[in-house]
Every structure is written in C-alpha cells, then in structure tokens.
Amino acid sequence: MQLRPSRTSWHRYLALGDSFTEGLSDPDPERPGEYRGWADRLTGHLAAASPGRDVEYANLAVRGRLLGQVLDEQVPVALAAEPDLVSLVAGGNDLLRPGADPDRLVAALEDAVVRFRAAGADVLLATGVDPRQTPIIRRTRGRVAVFNASLWSVAARHGAVVLDQWGAVWIQDWRMWDGDRIHLTDEGHRRTALAAAAALGLPVADDWREPLVPQPPRALRAALAEEAAWVRGFVAPWIGRRLRGRSSGDGRAAKRPVPLALPRG
C-alpha cells in the first residue's frame, strides 16, 4: 500500500519526535556539537523540489522524549506555526519499556494526526524498525509489529504518508547503526531522508535501496566481546537512567525551534 500526500511541494516543514528525528548520530559539520539527521536532510530534498522558493523548517524533536511528551510539548507549537508538512515520528522510547501498550500509543498518535490534517498539513509517519537482529531489544518485536500495523491503518484513515522502516532491507545492515544500536549513522540518515522523500513522491535517486557490499562474518570471539561492550556501554546506563527517572533529553531544548529557511548550498 502506497499512500500519497495532497500536494507535491511544501513551504513550511516541522519535524516532531525524539532522538531519531533530532538526528543522533549524524554530526552536523556546520554546527559543532549538534546533529544533522534525516529531517534536516529531507528539508534539502524539499528545497531541491521547489527551485526559487524557500522551504522553512523547524525541528522540535528532543532525544529521550516519550510519545506523550511529544504530543504535549511539540504538537501545540507545531500547530501554531501553521505548517503544510509535518513529520511525527515517536513512540519508540515507549515501546522499549516493559508493559508498553501499542494500541494506546497509536490511539494517542492518531489524535495528533487528525489535528494536523484538519489544519491542512500533510503528515509523514514512520514505522518502527524490525529489531529481530538486536539482542535484548528484539524482545520488543511483537509490540513494535502491532504498533506498525495500527500505524498503517491510521495513515489510511486520514491520508497520511508512511515511511516504511520495518520493510527496509538495507536498514538491517549493522554498518547503518551507531555503536548504541539505536541511532543511525550519517549513511543511515542519508538513506532515511531519501526514503522519506520518495514516500512523499519527490524525484530522488534510488540508490538508498541498494545494500552495502557484504562483509565477512565476525569471528565468534570478536562478536562476544562486542556484545559485552554494548551491554556495559549502553544497556546498563539506559537501565540506570530509567531507575533514577532520568532521560538523556533532560534540560535540552529543540535544536531548531522556529521555522526558518535553511541556507541554500
């Protein structure tokens, strides 16, 4: 099923969500200490499809945000900005938590989609990535699948567009992921931006679909060492923050809170 937006070019794009949309781990060469990410890159494709016309862009996403926080904190700001395109990608942090209810999450997300569509904005959603290859995280596969299936239904009901990450073969390559196995590398974000642009119907190169050249399998000893390092370096700190009621986004503000035209390169 391929859903299409109501227009072919946009003037004001607002990106909402968590660390995925903030851009971790895609360092911005123009802004030391900050991240670029697929939403910034998508804006470049939007601008290229509208020559002679500026595309205003704001990114309200903040790492660590749960869906409820995105809906409470970011949706009102985005509606007030009167966008004609919104990407709303959230819920991943919720689904990582034991006991998460994907039906409740999608119902809350649908309410926001309805509000944006009523305001005249096209909405870009995204499915979760299939976590089948990730130790520990693959335990969430069932609820991620339910979330994704319901997301497609929401999109069909309200005319939203879906970026299908669950079915993307290339995204299962470990070289697309940072060491934490949760955030994409610069190449992962580049391909995601192209996939999002294609979902919106923009004419972009199709190279993002191509898999990387295969690598030889890892030696067992090296693989076990990498797994242990991942648990120590990322899983344990994540659990520690949960136990303390802390978030990686505490005290952080949106990186692009106001819609502005990006400099043309």
Side-chain angles (χ1 to χ4, degrees):
M1 177 172 56
Q2 181 65 54
L3 303 172
R4 290 294 182 185
S6 63
R7 50 178 70 83
T8 57
S9 63
W10 295 268
H11 172 60
R12 182 172 296 141
Y13 165 44
L14 269 77
L16 287 66
D18 50 33
S19 59
F20 173 62
T21 299
E22 185 184 343
L24 279 68
S25 298
D26 180 16
D28 189 339
E30 303 297 327
R31 305 165 72 223
E34 296 293 334
Y35 293 98
R36 181 166 39 180
W38 71 272
D40 287 29
R41 293 170 181 267
L42 173 60
T43 305
H45 297 306
L46 297 174
S50 302
R53 184 185 185 193
D54 286 334
V55 175
E56 296 179 354
Y57 166 56
N59 190 318
L60 307 180
V62 177
R63 67 194 69 174
R65 290 298 190 261
L66 299 172
L67 176 60
Q69 294 172 308
V70 171
L71 299 179
D72 291 344
E73 300 168 6
Q74 300 176 24
V75 168
V77 176
L79 284 168
E82 299 182 345
D84 52 12
L85 175 63
V86 170
S87 60
L88 177 54
V89 185
N93 290 322
D94 301 79
L95 291 168
L96 286 172
R97 299 185 172 206
D101 183 347
D103 295 312
R104 181 184 60 79
L105 292 172
V106 174
L109 189 71
E110 182 170 16
D111 180 68
V113 172
V114 169
R115 295 173 68 187
F116 281 122
R117 296 296 289 140
D122 283 317
V123 178
L124 174 65
L125 305 171
T127 67
V129 175
D130 186 348
R132 67 182 185 274
Q133 297 191 59
T134 309
I136 301 177
I137 298 177
R138 64 172 166 239
R139 295 171 181 266
T140 69
R141 193 179 191 222
R143 54 181 177 263
V144 174
V146 171
F147 180 89
N148 289 347
S150 299
L151 191 79
W152 280 107
S153 297
V154 168
R157 283 196 291 271
H158 304 293
V161 179
V162 178
L163 168 61
D164 181 18
Q165 299 188 103
W166 181 273
V169 175
W170 59 266
I171 211 168
Q172 292 295 331
D173 191 308
W174 284 119
R175 288 168 288 179
M176 296 294 174
W177 296 91
D178 191 24
D180 62 8
R181 305 182 184 179
I182 293 177
H183 300 111
L184 293 169
T185 61
D186 54 352
E187 176 63 11
H189 279 284
R190 185 190 75 83
R191 289 180 181 235
T192 298
L194 286 166
L200 289 168
L202 299 182
V204 294
D206 213 30
D207 68 317
W208 57 273
R209 298 180 185 273
E210 298 298 324
L212 297 178
V213 177
Q215 281 187 326
R218 295 179 298 170
L220 178 59
R221 185 173 182 176
L224 292 174
E226 289 176 13
E227 297 302 319
W230 175 64
V231 171
R232 289 194 306 270
F234 299 101
V235 177
W238 183 85
I239 293 173
R241 288 196 299 271
R242 298 288 78 76
L243 293 175
R244 297 192 302 272
R246 301 293 301 276
S247 167
S248 58
D250 287 348
R252 298 193 66 88
K255 66 177 185 178
R256 296 183 182 275
V258 178
L260 296 172
L262 293 183
R264 290 183 177 270

